[in-house]
Amino acid sequence: MGGDYLIAVLSNIGMISFIALSAYLLLVVGEISFGQQAFFAVSAYGSGIATAMWGWPIWLGLLWGALVAGVAALVVAIPTVRLRGLYFSVATLAFAEMVRLILEIFTYQVEIDGELVGPNGSDGFRDIRAIYDSNVSAFEYLLIIYGLLAVVLVGFLILERSRLGAIFRMIGEDPMLTEMQGLNVTAHKILAVVLAGVVAGIGGALYAHLTTYVEPKIFNVMLGVHGLAYGLIGGLGTAFGPLIGVAIDIGLLESIRAISGYRMIVFGGLVAVLLIVRPRGLLDEAAVHWLRVRWRELRRGLRRGWRRAEG
Amino acid sequence: MLRVESLSRSFGGVAALEEIDLAVADGEVVGLIGPNGSGKTTLFNVITGVHPVDSGRVLLRGEDITDQAPARIVRRGIARTFQNLRIFRRMSVHENVWVAQHSLPGVGPMTLLSGRSAGERARRAEVDGLLDAVGLADRRDALAGSLPLPDQRRLELARALARSPALLLLDEPAGGMTPAETAEMAALIRDFAVPGRTCIVIEHKLDLISALCQRLCVLNFGRKIADGAPQEVLQQSDVLEAYLGRDAGDA
Amino acid sequence: MVDFIQNCLDGIMLGSSYGLLAIGFTLIFGVMRRLNLSYGPSIMVGAFVGTLVYLEFQANAVAIAAATVVGAVIVGIYVERLCFRAIRRGAAVASMVSSFVIWMQLEEIVTVVFPDRTYFFPPLVSAAPVELGPFFFKLENVVMFACAAVMTVWLHWLLQRTRFGLALRAVSEDPRAALFMGINVGAVMSLAFVIASAFGGVAAYLIVSADGQITPLFGLWATFKGLIAMMLGGMGSIPGAILGGLLLGVVEAQSIWYLGTEYRDLSAYFLLFLFLVFRPGGLMGQLAVEREQAATRRV
């Protein structure tokens, strides 16, 4: 197992984590999305077009990708946010498949240095070479991926301690009761969908520049449903949950060679059993709450001990 | 404070409320009684905008709030509890009361993310004060879903009070409680919830009603059949027949 | 005009297979109020069991069909036990995700047992298309349409005229109340799952034999076509499932003819999206009623 392979696996874990976090945010507000891969796709194409065709710098391309994804999420959110449960889920699925199928026929190419560059329907979009042109090594790019992931994760952790995060959890548990606290459920849900779109978008933009080549069929529903499953495996109590889910699937199982041909058989069975025991994942709200209380007690105990030692 | 004018609401052809008129003055505590299915909870739901009305009007301090979005109605100073207990079971006791402050003035979107400001610390202290008052201080960090039923009712009361509502709607605050717990709840409401505000209380337990209310209003099959001082209302023959007669038959 | 009508006829024939898939879906959803994503993959496994019987014994059509149905039912029971029965009520998301990971599992099992991916599947009938005036019919599609019609009528009879049907409708309306009425809710749910899987098995046999081949991708295809047809028709409604299937078939056939093959799925999803936004209850929808009931129940 060489270093390149390790970097590739870690990069993949990093990028899929964005989709998992994106789906997780919607699970927190009580909605299941089968369509987060659409925002990943929109941003991959958008940022690729910006850097490869318009010659924008990478950082601006990434920002642009996230922005495009956010706008796309807003466009989906407005008509669908009133739908509940399965209706919302299927609407996100329909939207995501529409995006993928439109990308299958979407052609927009310009000639750069005697070569045609740009998305070409189902043949995909080649030569998104911005990171190679600016001599960013695979390892440096890995650091960029994890740096951005850390920023997003810190954002989630701040959110979770804030009133806004509490509002998202309230909506996930009981929208009517949330409304009865004087809160506009619809507006907050739209906000959640847009934020989730932006998070997926960051992942998509990073992905396009890592692989330099994207094609529509990568963004099929399997990508989105995997992202969804990761949150439920790792747990819905904290943003670390989806990351744990990703780590278990890609990090652990992919690296055990003995089960390579049977990975999904083992993984599927394990997860099904896990969901029987813990329907909201390993780190569900109760587990996180328990940990938080223990942590607080520990800190209090330490402080008391410290004072005693001083005095 | 609140005026309801010839309010009607039906579900699939069944009239849940028919031409209800009700006026509640500032500072009054009105008991709303009637057999199961007589429309008491539906009246709360219509007042708070959960169900749209078919006809009629709801006025709060003279302003028409009919068919407004629930969140807007609630922000005008109404808070309620629920007959079948609604709490955020996956949040702690403290958080359950804390979340009620989200839409209060001064807690706008800008303060949403700042956890440690002075204002926020004061509001946290306020929550602890409320929990202390309803006797849940020592359960502060417990998961709300793990509380026994009487404590959950107390928690709902604390959450409603956290919004300092001018009008408080209590839906069976002692539902499912033993007589001793009911007496405790009645004392808590009387001493802590009622002072300085207007209340409507739905309750089947007459000892709680008589401990709290100056006025009783009786619903039966979606119609108001009596309204007045408790002693008078409870002696009306149709009230006895509709409410107590059937209640005795049920038991 | 002839083209348009021929497209409609083709669409109806195609749509009857979607309708068949949607019936099983809607039956499970109606009773469980949860989505079974591994519905398609479990009937795909059934079809591979049929393939196995054909490859090993050169069996005739009846035996292959029976093997397909039995396979689908056995896998259906496995899914029901693992993803639905074992997960407590209220955890609908967990059930759905569980059914998704089982889907992945089933697909991999099939790939391990059948490494060549694409296998020949013996056709039920092999005759030239029937000509009727200016129009053409494929015989296997006519069989499919007839089966869909017979199964719908039978299911309607089962639901409306038998004690089991009554129990099933009671469970679907309110499982708690049904329990208090002495109905064995668990047994009714299991049986509904078995019936749905058997329907799925029949649908799988008809569709796969009409195609003449089977791949593991059939699972994904069946889940999505069945899901779309169910949503178009209105969730939980049996006539809706058939109508939704036919509508989907016709729209697909027209898009292929007038817009081109690459627009086939795009139009289907676009239609679905429009329905969800403007008429979420589907063709036979009762959404308004449901929403009202839900609101009342929750307060």
Side-chain angles (χ1 to χ4, degrees):
Chain A
M1 196 194 286
D4 288 349
Y5 176 75
L6 189 64
I7 287 177
V9 169
L10 287 176
S11 303
N12 274 330
I13 292 180
M15 278 171 321
I16 201 88
S17 295
F18 287 98
I19 285 212
L21 281 170
S22 169
Y24 160 80
L25 182 56
L26 291 184
L27 283 171
V28 167
V29 293
E31 295 297 356
I32 303 150
S33 167
F34 290 136
Q36 294 314 103
Q37 70 277 15
F39 309 117
F40 197 82
V42 163
S43 167
Y45 272 76
S47 66
I49 288 171
T51 59
M53 298 170 71
W54 303 341
W56 292 11
I58 298 179
W59 65 270
L60 200 58
L62 294 181
L63 206 65
W64 171 247
L67 181 74
V68 171
V71 171
L74 184 66
V75 170
V76 196
I78 289 167
T80 58
V81 75
R82 277 167 208 287
L83 302 171
R84 287 247 175 94
L86 192 51
Y87 293 97
F88 179 83
S89 308
V90 177
T92 55
L93 169 74
F95 173 78
E97 286 294 274
M98 271 156 61
V99 166
R100 182 178 64 82
L101 292 162
I102 288 170
L103 291 177
E104 293 269 4
I105 48 181
F106 173 63
T107 306
Y108 164 50
Q109 294 191 298
V110 291
E111 212 178 295
I112 296 173
D113 300 334
E115 266 182 70
L116 279 178
V117 179
N120 184 21
S122 53
D123 285 341
F125 182 1
R126 289 172 196 288
D127 295 329
I128 308 170
R129 282 188 315 238
I131 66 166
Y132 298 93
D133 292 346
S134 45
N135 291 318
V136 179
S137 74
F139 181 69
E140 285 164 343
Y141 198 63
L142 185 69
L143 292 183
I144 295 178
I145 293 174
Y146 278 86
L148 283 172
L149 186 60
V151 169
V152 170
L153 192 61
V154 168
F156 267 92
L157 295 180
I158 293 173
L159 185 70
E160 257 150 34
R161 309 182 124 254
S162 73
R163 288 190 185 265
L164 182 60
I167 293 173
F168 288 162
R169 287 204 181 273
M170 289 160 78
I171 295 172
E173 224 180 301
D174 190 338
M176 222 293 281
L177 186 54
T178 311
E179 190 91 24
M180 282 294 135
Q181 310 309 317
L183 297 163
N184 185 338
V185 169
T186 309
H188 282 99
K189 250 180 159 170
I190 292 177
L191 179 63
V193 176
V194 171
L195 288 177
V198 169
V199 170
I202 298 172
L206 288 170
Y207 175 81
H209 288 87
L210 178 75
T211 58
T212 71
Y213 168 57
V214 289
E215 56 180 343
K217 69 164 182 264
I218 305 166
F219 310 109
N220 65 17
V221 66
M222 287 298 154
L223 181 62
V225 186
H226 272 106
L228 191 64
Y230 292 141
L232 268 159
I233 296 164
L236 300 183
T238 158
F240 287 112
L243 302 186
I244 292 173
V246 176
I248 290 176
D249 182 32
I250 303 183
L252 201 63
L253 292 176
E254 191 144 275
S255 49
I256 303 174
R257 289 294 167 85
I259 57 164
S260 61
Y262 315 95
R263 178 175 146 221
M264 268 340 280
I265 301 177
V266 177
F267 181 67
L270 275 180
V271 173
V273 171
L274 172 75
L275 288 173
I276 293 168
V277 191
R278 299 193 76 82
R280 293 181 71 79
L282 282 171
L283 287 177
D284 60 6
E285 287 85 350
V288 170
H289 179 257
W290 188 88
L291 288 172
R292 214 170 266 162
V293 171
R294 289 295 153 301
W295 169 241
R296 213 176 293 153
E297 277 171 7
L298 182 72
R299 253 187 355 198
R300 220 174 284 153
L302 283 177
R303 215 176 295 148
R304 219 174 292 141
W306 184 252
R307 243 178 258 140
R308 210 171 297 150
E310 274 189 331
Chain B
M1 172 63 61
L2 179 80
R3 219 167 69 227
V4 171
E5 288 174 358
S6 58
L7 196 72
S8 297
R9 167 73 197 180
S10 59
F11 294 101
V14 182
L17 293 174
E18 256 184 297
E19 300 284 319
I20 300 282
D21 287 296
L22 178 69
V24 182
D26 278 12
E28 212 177 4
V29 180
V30 177
L32 192 59
I33 66 172
N36 287 327
S38 59
K40 306 180 300 286
T41 297
T42 307
L43 182 58
F44 275 14
N45 284 339
V46 170
I47 292 173
T48 50
V50 175
H51 295 321
V53 305
D54 292 339
S55 62
R57 295 203 301 165
V58 183
L59 301 155
L60 185 71
R61 294 200 200 91
E63 281 175 78
D64 195 339
I65 58 165
T66 321
D67 283 345
Q68 283 186 358
R72 287 185 62 190
I73 294 178
V74 168
R75 278 203 295 263
R76 286 168 177 269
I78 301 183
R80 70 178 282 193
T81 66
F82 296 84
Q83 180 189 354
N84 48 355
L85 271 171
R86 296 177 86 141
I87 54 172
F88 295 107
R89 306 182 66 85
R90 296 196 285 258
M91 292 183 175
S92 77
V93 168
H94 177 88
E95 281 174 314
N96 260 276
V97 180
W98 173 69
V99 300
Q101 302 171 328
H102 287 342
S103 67
L104 292 180
V107 197
M110 296 315 289
T111 56
L112 285 176
L113 287 165
S114 61
R116 306 230 175 270
S117 66
E120 189 62 20
R121 227 174 288 145
R123 280 188 284 271
R124 291 272 187 182
E126 210 172 284
V127 171
D128 285 331
L130 275 169
L131 287 178
D132 200 27
V134 299
L136 287 174
D138 55 333
R139 306 303 308 271
R140 179 184 188 276
D141 289 325
L143 220 49
S146 70
L147 292 183
L149 181 130
D151 285 351
Q152 293 195 7
R153 294 240 181 253
R154 276 184 243 270
L155 179 58
E156 271 208 309
L157 182 66
R159 187 182 62 206
L161 292 175
R163 304 186 51 75
S164 339
L167 174 64
L168 181 63
L169 308 176
L170 299 173
D171 198 342
E172 298 200 24
M177 287 190 181
T178 64
E181 288 160 352
T182 305
E184 255 179 75
M185 191 57 163
L188 181 63
I189 296 173
R190 188 189 58 222
D191 300 336
F192 193 62
V194 164
R197 53 175 67 91
T198 314
C199 290
I200 307 180
V201 188
I202 295 178
E203 191 48 78
H204 285 297
K205 296 191 166 109
L206 288 178
D207 36 352
L208 186 130
I209 288 283
S210 51
L212 294 173
C213 308
Q214 302 104 23
R215 205 177 119 202
L216 274 191
C217 174
V218 189
L219 294 187
N220 193 25
F221 291 114
R223 289 179 171 279
K224 189 165 90 168
I225 56 169
D227 191 346
Q231 312 86 301
E232 291 162 29
V233 166
L234 291 176
Q235 265 147 28
Q236 252 173 264
S237 64
D238 50 346
V239 171
L240 289 170
E241 198 179 302
Y243 186 68
L244 302 171
R246 182 174 150 174
D247 206 22
D250 276 355
Chain C
M1 196 58 201
V2 172
D3 287 342
F4 184 81
I5 294 171
Q6 177 68 49
N7 290 339
C8 283
L9 290 172
D10 289 349
I12 287 170
M13 295 297 162
L14 182 68
S16 46
S17 67
Y18 299 156
L20 277 174
L21 293 168
I23 289 178
F25 242 117
T26 212
L27 199 58
I28 294 174
F29 183 82
V31 180
M32 299 275 185
R33 299 280 142 190
R34 299 180 195 180
L35 189 60
N36 176 17
L37 287 175
S38 55
Y39 177 68
S42 53
I43 67 176
M44 177 270 290
V45 175
F48 269 101
V49 173
T51 312
L52 193 67
V53 168
Y54 169 74
L55 289 175
E56 292 292 317
F57 309 108
Q58 299 296 316
N60 61 11
V62 178
I64 296 171
T68 303
V69 171
V70 170
V73 168
I74 290 171
V75 179
I77 292 171
Y78 169 67
V79 171
E80 195 253 356
R81 286 292 134 121
L82 198 57
C83 310
F84 291 85
R85 178 73 75 93
I87 293 176
R88 67 182 165 74
R89 224 183 299 129
V93 187
S95 273
M96 200 171 68
V97 169
S98 179
S99 74
F100 170 72
V101 292
I102 292 305
W103 164 354
M104 299 287 101
Q105 188 188 41
L106 294 175
E107 223 177 82
E108 189 129 321
I109 290 173
V110 167
T111 325
V112 168
V113 180
F114 296 87
D116 291 346
R117 295 193 69 83
T118 307
Y119 286 82
F120 172 73
F121 200 92
L124 180 61
V125 283
S126 43
V130 180
E131 252 178 275
L132 202 77
F135 305 118
F136 290 93
F137 296 92
K138 278 199 196 141
L139 207 55
E140 54 265 38
N141 283 341
V142 178
V143 172
M144 217 182 275
F145 186 75
C147 280
V150 169
M151 279 159 70
T152 312
V153 171
W154 182 75
L155 200 58
H156 187 80
W157 171 82
L158 183 78
L159 288 180
Q160 301 297 330
R161 294 274 183 274
T162 65
R163 279 198 91 74
F164 170 70
L166 190 67
L168 201 119
R169 281 184 288 142
V171 171
S172 139
E173 205 118 306
D174 190 341
R176 270 237 315 266
L179 198 65
F180 290 140
M181 302 298 290
I183 296 172
N184 186 342
V185 172
V188 168
M189 285 184 170
S190 298
L191 204 51
F193 229 92
V194 168
I195 294 174
S197 302
F199 267 66
V202 175
Y205 175 75
L206 292 171
I207 295 166
V208 171
S209 68
D211 282 352
Q213 61 174 28
I214 168 94
T215 78
L217 283 179
F218 176 69
L220 177 115
W221 182 88
T223 288
F224 284 122
K225 294 297 177 189
L227 182 63
I228 298 173
M230 171 177 86
M231 302 297 293
L232 290 178
M235 282 200 287
S237 153
I238 304 282
I242 291 291
L243 283 179
L246 297 182
L247 176 65
L248 179 61
V250 170
V251 167
E252 285 191 3
Q254 300 291 4
S255 333
I256 292 172
W257 184 261
Y258 290 107
L259 299 171
T261 324
E262 64 271 33
Y263 286 91
R264 169 185 179 166
D265 288 340
L266 188 57
S267 332
Y269 281 111
F270 185 62
L271 181 74
L272 176 63
F273 193 78
L274 287 184
F275 257 86
L276 284 168
V277 171
F278 295 107
R279 198 179 157 80
L283 292 168
M284 308 292 279
Q286 294 174 301
L287 186 77
V289 184
E290 268 179 24
R291 203 183 263 163
E292 188 109 305
Q293 282 171 348
T296 324
R297 221 178 291 133
R298 300 180 52 200
V299 175

